[in-house]
Amino acid sequence: MFYIIAIILIIFDQLTKYLAVKFLLGKNPIPIIKNYLQLNYVENFGAAFGILQNKQLFFVVITIVVLAGIIVYIRKHTNISKPMKAALTILFSGALGNLIDRLRLGYVIDFIDVKFGKLYDFPVFNVADCLVVVSTIIIAYLVLYDKYEINMEE
């Protein structure tokens, strides 16, 4: 099930990036909710929030290590809770989605542009970024509240 869900999420991420290139590249942003949400094509040569620009090899190596770690962890530990397996699958999918961009293009395609009126212009992101952030929050919760393993004593 891990692989099926991962493949579906990766395809969805890559499809949205393909559509971003097709409909947004070289064009003005498309407003969805005026002053709050728009679709805007951006080529990100760094990480989240534009940090570590042009460090592609670093990101490729780190991502491969993380992906391998997730696979080894899931295969080695048979008592992982279903929510933890789901969160690790989502994390794997998001990380691999952006890795595909880095290897194929040398940058990550971002297109979701959120603003908080005139107060704050959030960095542009993509579906894979959403997957990584949401899964990380879930994993942190599961670890903090000791819900990442099935209790075998029950």
Side-chain angles (χ1 to χ4, degrees):
M1 196 65 163
F2 169 85
Y3 296 107
I4 293 169
I5 293 170
I7 289 168
I8 290 168
L9 292 173
I10 293 164
I11 289 171
F12 180 67
D13 170 64
Q14 291 298 301
L15 177 62
T16 59
K17 291 172 179 174
Y18 166 79
L19 294 171
V21 170
K22 184 173 181 172
F23 295 108
L24 300 172
L25 178 62
K27 297 183 175 106
N28 290 328
I30 300 171
I32 305 298
I33 302 171
K34 188 178 178 183
N35 296 323
Y36 293 98
L37 175 64
Q38 64 182 5
L39 300 177
N40 183 20
Y41 180 87
V42 173
E43 295 173 356
N44 185 351
F45 291 86
F49 309 109
I51 62 171
L52 297 173
Q53 290 292 309
N54 300 310
K55 304 289 184 200
Q56 295 305 319
L57 180 61
F58 171 77
F59 293 122
V60 167
V61 170
I62 293 298
T63 303
I64 290 171
V65 169
V66 168
L67 293 172
I70 291 170
I71 292 171
V72 168
Y73 184 81
I74 287 175
R75 287 187 175 195
K76 188 174 179 182
H77 295 85
T78 57
N79 61 334
I80 302 170
S81 68
K82 285 184 182 181
M84 181 57 102
K85 278 185 186 174
L88 289 170
T89 301
I90 295 167
L91 177 61
F92 181 91
S93 304
L96 187 54
N98 280 341
L99 178 62
I100 290 168
D101 282 13
R102 288 186 199 289
L103 292 174
R104 189 170 63 90
L105 305 168
Y107 55 86
V108 173
I109 297 169
D110 289 334
F111 58 91
I112 304 168
D113 192 355
V114 175
K115 299 176 186 310
F116 296 97
K118 294 183 184 202
L119 296 174
Y120 185 68
D121 187 2
F122 199 79
V124 182
F125 58 96
N126 62 43
V127 171
D129 296 336
C130 294
L131 296 174
V132 169
V133 170
V134 168
S135 63
T136 301
I137 292 167
I138 293 168
I139 291 167
Y141 170 83
L142 293 171
V143 169
L144 286 171
Y145 290 94
D146 200 22
K147 297 181 183 291
Y148 61 96
E149 293 179 328
I150 300 169
N151 188 347
M152 299 299 216
E153 297 169 4
E154 293 178 3

